[in-house]
Amino acid sequence: MVRLPFTQELMNGRGEPKTIVFREAGPEDIDKVMQLQREVVDALPDKDLYQTSTREEYLEQLEEDCCFMAECDGEVAGFSVLVPNDADNPRNYGKYFDYDREQLAVTCSLDLTMVSPNYRGLGIQRDFNKIRIGTAVAMGAKEGLATISPDNPYSYRNFTVLNFDIVEQREMYGGKQRYLLRKVF
């Protein structure tokens, strides 16, 4: 498991070094999360690639789930959420597979990752995935589930490089097509 805060030296496409600090996020970060969501959605060519959340939904996650923030020189570079392995959490993706309580208790959900358009291409989503997997394993999870748009090759690559497999494709989030991916830890 990666201990947070964690500092990662990354290089952008112009060969300029960037120092990214990964840390835990909490309710005090709600305004940063909402601003990042606006930036991410505004930059998308296809708005169906991302499912937006309300302020209240993010606050609930910041209070109940494992949330992580990436920052560079005081600027938000990314945000990510891990839904812990909890049989009673309605955000546990195991519900899509009708898992029983025992299986839900060892299944976590890599729920979302947003990366600022200014910091794309630096591997931040992949770093978030590693942090979330390490956190999940430390919490006793045996399996991780995630959803991505079939039209998002970047997220797809970031999950498959970590040996996630597509389990199925289904309609979710009010009619949007999504892959459900799984990794057994």
Side-chain angles (χ1 to χ4, degrees):
M1 181 173 147
V2 175
R3 299 216 187 277
L4 299 174
F6 167 71
T7 302
Q8 178 80 338
E9 293 290 330
L10 303 171
M11 194 76 63
N12 69 15
R14 294 181 300 278
E16 302 162 338
K18 296 285 183 183
T19 302
I20 309 293
V21 177
F22 293 86
R23 64 171 177 84
E24 292 181 27
E28 67 279 3
D29 293 306
I30 185 62
D31 292 333
K32 292 178 181 180
V33 172
M34 297 307 297
Q35 177 61 36
L36 178 61
Q37 179 176 258
R38 282 188 293 278
E39 290 173 17
V40 167
V41 171
D42 287 349
L44 289 175
D46 177 1
K47 306 306 181 209
D48 280 345
L49 290 175
Y50 185 78
Q51 176 60 36
T52 60
S53 294
T54 65
R55 184 178 186 87
E56 292 74 25
E57 289 168 328
Y58 280 131
L59 271 172
E60 184 177 349
Q61 289 191 299
L62 286 161
E63 291 170 354
E64 297 179 12
D65 297 333
C66 300
C67 298
F68 308 99
M69 186 75 67
E71 296 173 315
C72 181
D73 297 325
E75 185 174 83
V76 176
F79 173 73
S80 193
V81 177
L82 169 71
V83 177
N85 42 304
D86 177 355
D88 296 317
N89 192 320
R91 291 180 302 280
N92 188 321
Y93 292 156
K95 67 184 177 188
Y96 295 114
F97 298 109
D98 296 323
Y99 284 179
D100 62 23
R101 289 186 60 73
E102 185 177 310
Q103 184 65 29
L104 286 169
V106 294
T107 301
C108 68
S109 303
L110 286 75
D111 187 35
L112 74 97
T113 295
M114 297 186 286
V115 176
S116 167
N118 297 331
Y119 292 91
R120 290 191 182 141
L122 297 176
I124 291 173
Q125 182 182 31
R126 194 170 302 163
D127 286 335
F128 273 137
N129 285 346
K130 291 174 185 177
I131 290 167
R132 294 185 301 175
I133 290 168
T135 301
V137 168
M139 295 169 67
K142 305 288 184 214
E143 174 180 342
L145 299 173
T147 67
I148 60 168
S149 168
D151 298 319
N152 188 340
Y154 307 104
S155 289
Y156 177 74
R157 185 175 51 248
N158 283 325
F159 278 100
T160 58
V161 75
L162 295 172
N163 298 314
F164 277 79
D165 295 310
I166 296 173
V167 178
E168 69 178 55
Q169 182 173 339
R170 67 167 52 205
E171 207 171 86
M172 300 174 71
Y173 311 124
K176 296 176 182 177
Q177 286 296 310
R178 292 294 185 260
Y179 287 143
L180 275 159
L181 297 100
R182 174 188 298 138
K183 177 182 175 78
V184 176
F185 304 138

